[in-house]
Amino acid sequence: MDEEDGAETGPRNGPRTGAALGVSVSRRVHEGEWPGYVVRDEPLGPHDSGWQLLVGDETPAELDDPFAIAVLPLAEVARRWPALAAVLRDGPLGGEWVRDAASGRYVPRPGEA
């Protein structure tokens, strides 16, 4: 992802504008808790980046509640959580990351390569 304009490029999709792409975040993340679990799934539409940011201990009820999920622009996510920049830039589809509390960096989830 280009930090200047938030542009994202991908081999399958070509150039994509970060400002137009949405990231799903749990309400708790939106309200200020650090994302502890990050996953990149196949985008569901032209404005979906496929990224999801969660605290990591949300209950099934929280995840089933449509009002417990917000959508933020990809560029805003990169500004709010700079430690995610490398993951957002290079993270492959299907990848999962967790935040290492000691370093503050995002690392592949145990069991992920």
Side-chain angles (χ1 to χ4, degrees), residues 15-79:
R16 300 173 74 191
T17 304
L21 292 176
V23 175
S24 296
V25 301
S26 72
R27 178 180 9 204
R28 291 170 48 202
V29 169
H30 186 265
E31 292 175 350
E33 290 188 54
W34 272 88
Y37 174 72
V38 178
V39 63
R40 186 175 189 197
D41 290 327
E42 187 72 39
L44 299 176
H47 299 290
D48 178 17
S49 67
W51 288 105
Q52 299 171 45
L53 281 60
L54 304 168
V55 171
D57 64 359
E58 287 86 352
T59 66
E62 283 179 286
L63 297 175
D64 287 342
D65 180 358
F67 297 106
I69 302 295
V71 177
L72 296 176
L74 182 60
E76 180 180 337
V77 168
R79 281 191 294 275

